[in-house]
């Protein structure tokens, strides 16, 4: 019985990355908060394949710990003797019928769609498909050699190239697709007789050409095939990636004050007519409903913000839920498990943690609300603090509907303020405050006659 062609991506990720000058292995350096290697793994995952082989070397354990995809089989390349030598390490995993796809852990922006083009071009009559691109300045790259009819003949590395060959500006991107059986026979024929004494994977191109079966796909987006060798190239690709995210957001109905001043390090989903001002940063999974407005300098992670909510400048929101028509900020901090029901308002210098703020309830100024369940239509005065921590344990504050808490109140948890209660300003509430009554604590106000301000000693 003949099985369907298996797609086997092999990602080369053994290089050291000296120019990053880092204790972190190069392939773990992030683009949009995610290791470069993970971007490549995710592109490869979309090829309808059952596994991915990663050739690793430098920083081995660290790399394996960071990339925890069950689909990955790890293969160690102890010494780095060239790209051909790297693929040889996976020799035993390659089946004759496989369509092997070669990718690189330090070329993070490759698209699944482009890899799929290589797979598709590996037809019955072809044993190898190379991905090339045209560069105005091809320095350092392998040059693609073609005959007068445009048929691919091979690749020459720059260090082995003559002056004439150096003028060629069609370069090898390194990405390729190859038939398993043919690839294995070429790998066995590689030798390191070249300027760098390496086993060049690229020598397979000439071997395939000699049996007449090489195809080339020309990649028109050079960012997809751009490798990262230093932090400058990393930052450049970060900008490329961010611009793409920004354009996708605008296509989905968000207006961005400046598409070059937004960073999305995760997955941001937006409704229609969303507005995002400059320097907003989104991490993890964030959703914004219709007509949500995000002002300048907000940092939002793993949160859901519902329709018509307004987030004012410099608010920091983490693992929170913000209801419809809520107003947050400026300078508000919503910490994990903060839940704002619809029409709630959290104003400036207010911190909310693990608390529910009820419908239409307001905490407008300078307050800390932690471990609190708050009802609807509550008004919390400026400077109110829930004293939720006794030094060892956290305790809950429960505030009923229609409560009014005067400014600068401390609610010492565990404590309950019943429905409709009013708390006088400046109170320290340690016991249950009954419903519909005024409760307050007071120190008598006194005035000291004859008191004088201290005088500065000379
Ligand atoms: C390679 C290609 C060159 C192409 C260029 C595109 C070869 C011989 N040359 O050159 O034609 O234009 O990429 O960027 O393939 N690696 C290993 N183990 C090794 C050697 C390399 O895992 O033993 C990995 C590196 O970590 C890196 C990638 O393979 O991610 C490319 O290796 P590198 O040495 O940078 O090849 P180039 O000289 O750039
Ligand atoms: Ca390189």
């Amino acid at each position: 019985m003949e099985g369907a062609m298996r797609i086997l991506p092999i990602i080369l990720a053994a290089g050291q990355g000296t120019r990053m000058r880092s204790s972190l292995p190069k392939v773990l350096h992030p683009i949009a908060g995610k290791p470069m290697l993970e971007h490549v793994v995710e592109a490869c995952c979309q090829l309808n394949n059952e596994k991915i082989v990663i050739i690793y070397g430098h920083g081995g354990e660290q790399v394996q710990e960071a990339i925890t995809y069950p689909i990955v089989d790890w293969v160690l390349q102890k010494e780095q003797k060239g790209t051909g030598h790297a693929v040889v390490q996976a020799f035993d995993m390659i089946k004759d019928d496989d369509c092997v796809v070669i990718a690189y852990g330090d070329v993070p922006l490759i698209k699944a769609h482009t890899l799929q083009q290589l797979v598709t071009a590996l037809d019955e009559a072809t044993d190898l498909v190379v991905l090339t691109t045209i560069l105005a300045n091809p320095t350092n790259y392998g040059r693609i050699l073609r005959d007068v009819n445009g048929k691919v003949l091979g690749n020459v590395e720059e260090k082995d190239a003559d002056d004439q060959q150096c003028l060629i500006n069609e370069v090898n991107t390194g990405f390729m697709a190859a038939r398993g059986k043919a690839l294995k026979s070429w790998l066995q024929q590689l030798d390191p007789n070249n300027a760098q004494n390496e086993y060049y994977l690229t020598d397979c191109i000439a071997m395939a050409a000699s049996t007449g079966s090489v195809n080339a796909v020309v990649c028109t987006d050079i960012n997809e095939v751009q490798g990262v060798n230093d932090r400058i190239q990393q930052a450049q690709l970060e900008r490329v990636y961010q611009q793409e995210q920004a354009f996708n957001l605008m296509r989905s109905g968000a207006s961005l004050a400046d598409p070059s001043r937004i960073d999305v390090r995760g997955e941001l989903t937006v409704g229609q007519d969303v507005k995002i001002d400059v320097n907003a940063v989104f991490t993890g999974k964030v959703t914004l409903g219709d007509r949500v407005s995000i002002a300048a300098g907000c940092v939002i992670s793993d949160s859901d913000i519902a329709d018509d909510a307004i987030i004012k400048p410099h608010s920091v929101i983490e693992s929170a839920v913000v209801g419809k028509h809520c107003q947050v900020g400026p300078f508000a901090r919503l910490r994990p498990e903060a839940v704002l029901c619809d029409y709630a308002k959290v104003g400036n210098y207010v911190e909310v943690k693990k608390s529910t703020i009820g419908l239409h309830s307001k905490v407008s100024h300078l307050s800390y609300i932690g471990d609190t369940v708050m009802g609807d239509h509550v008004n919390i005065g400026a400077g109110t603090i829930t004293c939720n921590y006794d030094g060892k344990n956290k305790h809950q504050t429960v505030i009923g509907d229609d409560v009014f808490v005067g400014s600068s109140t401390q609610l010492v948890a565990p404590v309950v303020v019943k429905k409709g209660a009013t708390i006088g300003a400046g109170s320290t509430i340690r016991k249950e405050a009954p419903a519909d009554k005024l409760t307050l604590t007071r120190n008598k106000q006194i005035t000291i006659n004859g008191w004088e301000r201290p005088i500065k000693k000379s």
Side-chain angles (χ1 to χ4, degrees), residues 80-322:
Q80 281 76 55
K81 298 183 188 169
T83 48
H85 180 258
V87 178
V88 165
Q89 309 310 303
F91 195 93
D92 293 339
M93 307 176 92
I94 301 170
K95 293 186 193 158
D96 286 354
D97 293 337
D98 282 352
C99 167
V100 176
V101 176
I102 305 291
Y104 299 85
D106 59 357
V107 186
L109 300 192
I110 190 69
K111 293 219 167 76
H113 158 82
T114 304
L115 296 176
Q116 186 59 52
Q117 279 184 301
L118 298 180
V119 171
T120 307
L122 194 73
D123 56 29
E124 295 293 299
T126 310
D127 282 333
L128 182 68
V129 180
V130 291
L131 184 67
T132 73
T133 196
I134 313 290
L135 294 180
N137 175 9
T139 309
N140 290 331
Y141 286 86
R143 308 298 205 281
I144 296 296
L145 308 174
R146 292 185 187 252
D147 70 11
V148 285
N149 300 316
K151 187 174 163 297
V152 174
L153 297 176
N155 166 83
V156 59
E157 290 300 288
E158 180 163 276
K159 289 189 173 122
D160 303 295
D162 61 34
D163 290 352
Q164 206 59 35
Q165 289 168 329
C166 280
L167 296 174
I168 298 171
N169 56 9
E170 184 180 12
V171 304
N172 173 35
T173 67
F175 290 90
M176 53 178 79
R179 189 79 55 199
K181 186 176 182 183
L183 177 62
K184 285 194 284 184
S185 86
W186 303 325
L187 291 175
Q188 286 171 316
Q189 296 168 57
L190 293 181
D191 65 56
N193 300 329
N194 51 57
Q196 303 181 80
N197 298 312
E198 281 181 8
Y199 294 89
Y200 290 166
L201 181 62
T202 47
D203 285 352
C204 295
I205 302 171
M207 291 189 238
S210 71
T211 61
S213 52
V214 183
N215 241 329
V217 171
V218 183
C219 182
T220 49
D221 177 3
I222 57 172
N223 295 314
E224 270 192 66
V225 295
Q226 199 66 59
V228 170
N229 294 306
D230 58 32
R231 292 176 199 254
I232 297 169
Q233 291 170 327
Q234 180 192 7
Q236 285 165 341
L237 289 193
E238 177 78 31
R239 283 354 292 166
V240 169
Y241 184 88
Q242 291 301 343
Q243 189 187 64
E244 199 175 304
Q245 308 269 304
F247 285 13
N248 285 339
L249 289 170
M250 292 188 286
R251 284 186 199 108
S252 320
S255 287
L256 306 183
D258 181 351
S260 70
R261 283 187 289 167
I262 175 173
D263 279 61
V264 180
R265 302 175 194 142
E267 213 180 296
L268 174 59
T269 311
V270 293
Q272 285 190 3
D273 298 310
V274 164
K275 285 193 189 124
I276 302 176
D277 209 334
V278 298
N279 295 336
V281 178
F282 299 89
T283 64
K285 224 175 161 169
V286 175
T287 56
L288 307 179
D290 293 339
R291 298 170 300 281
V292 164
S293 163
I294 307 291
C298 290
V299 178
I300 303 177
S301 50
D302 296 304
S303 295
D304 291 329
I305 299 179
D307 297 351
D308 301 291
I310 297 174
I311 313 298
K312 296 178 184 175
H314 301 287
S315 295
V316 177
I317 300 179
E318 181 191 356
S319 302
V321 176
V322 175

